[in-house]
């Protein structure tokens, strides 16, 4: 296997909770807790989990849009945290993000040609004429008409605005993209168009991607590998086939069981195998001891309440963080 394009090592991110004496924090939100992962060149890693589990925070940590509390991020083997500001600025050409909100992520006072071409100006790429030609090329690439460059964001639909956001991310030659819930704010009919566009661009441009979503059906459609996140931790990861046909962790099974089944003939079978969850996800300010999932897990044992299960890889790289249902072959020589 080739060296990963991007790698995270022991990432943690704690946000202070204000309100303590003399301005001191009265607690910490443990948004990301000891996350390690690697993304190969040309691969799409799907990151899935409930709202509030830390998915978007992890995506921003990988781009160093926010600073980690601990851990490191490497791009082509180089540490982003140890990189001088000038080198990091140059590297940002290759690491971009597509935001969740296609309405709030675009400046309403800028024309589309300025929004898409802003990165080219910042990095000093090309002449004015070359930059305009690049903007027009990108707008055509994402399926927008030639007159789009002179219009403002409010003149476009949600799907068209997300296309503008994608064009902006690609303008400076991005190789790694964090797609942070890029279709969750769109109508279902438009979601498929944006997903197909991202898939097509990935193949044509050789993009590497972290695709963040809470929707397992979307993750299955776009991902090569899948990582399941719960309360700031990765609890299971593997290839798409491993996760969708041989999930081990009770949380992953519960998520899969909750996906609607269009064929009524299979609903009864799904109901019999369903893992029922009780209660809500614990607060990241005061996470439970041991396995973070044990308060909601119907299979929890005493060890689950005391010891945090490590994420151990088994056959084929399928990794699970569970005392009761470890990955097949985990820990074997």
């Amino acid at each position: 296997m080739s060296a990963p394009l991007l790698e995270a090592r022991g990432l943690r991110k704690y946000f202070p909770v204000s309100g303590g004496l003399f301005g001191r924090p009265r607690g910490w939100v443990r948004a990301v807790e000891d996350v390690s992962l690697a993304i190969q060149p040309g691969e799409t890693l799907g990151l899935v989990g409930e709202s509030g589990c830390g998915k978007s925070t992890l995506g921003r940590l990988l781009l160093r849009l926010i600073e980690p509390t601990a851990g490191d991020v490497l791009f082509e083997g180089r540490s982003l945290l140890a990189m001088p500001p000038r080198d990091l600025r140059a590297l940002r050409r290759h690491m971009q993000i597509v935001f969740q909100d296609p309405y709030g992520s675009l400046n309403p006072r800028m024309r589309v040609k300025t929004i898409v071409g802003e990165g080219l100006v910042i990095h000093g790429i090309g002449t004015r004429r070359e930059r305009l030609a690049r903007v027009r090329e990108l707008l055509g690439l994402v399926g927008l008409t030639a007159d789009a460059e002179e219009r403002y964001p409010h003149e476009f639909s949600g799907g068209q605005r997300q296309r503008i956001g994608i064009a902006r991310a690609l303008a400076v030659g991005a190789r790694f993209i964090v797609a942070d819930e890029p279709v969750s704010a769109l109508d279902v009919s438009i979601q498929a168009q944006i997903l197909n566009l991202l898939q097509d661009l990935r193949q044509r441009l050789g993009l590497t991607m972290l695709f963040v979503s809470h929707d397992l059906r979307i993750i299955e459609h776009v991902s090569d590998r899948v990582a399941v996140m719960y309360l700031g931790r990765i609890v299971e990861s593997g290839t798409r086939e491993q996760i969708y046909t041989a999930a081990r962790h009770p949380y992953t099974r519960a998520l899969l069981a909750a996906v609607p089944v269009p064929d009524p003939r299979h609903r009864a079978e799904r109901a019999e195998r369903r893992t029922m969850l009780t209660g809500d996800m614990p607060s990241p300010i005061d996470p439970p001891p041991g396995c973070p999932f044990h308060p909601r897990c119907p299979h929890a044992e005493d060890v689950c309440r005391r010891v945090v299960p490590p994420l151990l890889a088994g056959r084929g790289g399928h990794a699970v963080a569970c005392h009761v249902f470890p990955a097949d072959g985990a820990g074997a020589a």
Side-chain angles (χ1 to χ4, degrees):
M1 181 180 293
S2 61
L5 180 71
L6 185 132
E7 185 177 4
R9 297 178 178 176
L11 274 184
R12 287 185 169 89
K13 181 58 182 179
Y14 300 165
F15 293 101
V17 180
S18 60
L21 188 63
F22 304 117
R24 298 172 182 171
R26 58 183 177 85
W28 298 88
V29 176
R30 299 170 180 261
V32 175
E33 186 73 77
D34 194 24
V35 169
S36 297
L37 54 82
I39 306 177
Q40 301 296 321
E43 179 181 60
T44 295
L45 175 66
L47 184 63
V48 67
E50 292 174 278
S51 296
C53 71
K55 306 185 299 296
S56 294
T57 300
L58 177 57
R60 284 161 172 74
L61 287 172
L62 294 180
L63 298 177
R64 203 183 163 187
L65 295 178
I66 55 177
E67 297 294 321
T69 303
D72 200 1
V73 180
L74 289 80
F75 188 88
E76 294 185 321
R78 302 176 63 196
S79 170
L80 298 187
L81 301 181
M83 195 172 291
R86 178 176 296 181
D87 292 349
L88 180 62
R89 181 186 178 93
L91 186 64
R92 289 202 183 281
R93 285 184 56 184
H94 306 297
M95 306 170 65
Q96 294 291 315
I97 185 169
V98 176
F99 294 98
Q100 176 179 356
D101 184 5
Y103 302 92
S105 63
L106 303 179
N107 190 328
R109 295 179 176 85
M110 287 185 178
R111 297 181 190 272
V112 167
K113 64 180 180 182
T114 305
I115 293 172
V116 177
E118 188 175 23
L120 299 171
V121 175
I122 291 172
H123 289 281
I125 300 173
T127 64
R128 183 174 181 179
R129 179 174 295 180
E130 290 170 341
R131 289 195 290 266
L132 182 57
R134 174 64 173 162
V135 168
R136 291 171 176 169
E137 176 190 358
L138 287 165
L139 293 178
L141 190 65
V142 299
L144 293 174
T145 57
D147 65 333
E149 65 182 72
E150 295 293 340
R151 295 159 63 187
Y152 290 91
H154 72 270
E155 300 179 67
F156 295 91
S157 67
Q160 290 172 325
R161 293 183 196 188
Q162 198 60 289
R163 291 174 187 268
I164 296 170
I166 294 170
R168 175 178 58 185
L170 298 175
V172 290
R175 295 163 55 201
F176 172 66
I177 288 184
V178 172
D180 184 12
E181 301 260 16
V183 298
S184 63
L186 305 177
D187 293 337
V188 174
S189 59
I190 305 300
Q191 288 182 4
Q193 296 177 21
I194 299 301
L195 292 174
N196 291 334
L197 172 63
L198 287 170
Q199 289 286 76
D200 179 59
L201 292 174
R202 173 199 166 190
Q203 294 173 3
R204 293 173 62 178
L205 304 177
L207 298 175
T208 304
M209 192 179 304
L210 176 75
F211 195 101
V212 178
S213 179
H214 63 274
D215 192 325
L216 279 159
R217 294 170 299 179
I218 290 175
I219 290 292
E220 183 180 17
H221 178 68
V222 303
S223 304
D224 300 303
R225 289 192 304 118
V226 179
V228 182
M229 198 168 188
Y230 183 82
L231 204 63
R233 295 178 181 271
I234 302 296
V235 297
E236 186 165 6
S237 66
T239 65
R240 177 175 54 196
E241 292 74 19
Q242 288 169 341
I243 297 300
Y244 283 87
T245 63
R248 300 285 295 172
H249 199 282
Y251 179 62
T252 308
R253 294 178 180 179
L255 290 179
L256 291 170
V259 175
V261 179
D263 190 341
R265 294 173 296 179
H266 298 296
R267 288 176 186 168
E269 178 185 352
R270 175 72 68 88
E272 292 177 0
R273 298 185 288 115
R274 177 170 295 177
T275 301
M276 298 300 294
L277 299 183
T278 58
D280 298 321
M281 186 167 61
S283 170
I285 299 177
D286 185 25
C291 174
F293 186 62
H294 86 257
R296 304 173 69 189
C297 181
H299 308 285
E301 299 179 355
D302 185 58
V303 65
C304 304
R305 300 176 179 88
R306 295 182 289 102
V307 182
V308 177
L311 184 66
L312 298 178
R315 299 187 184 94
H318 188 180
V320 184
C322 185
H323 295 298
V324 182
F325 302 102
D328 291 335

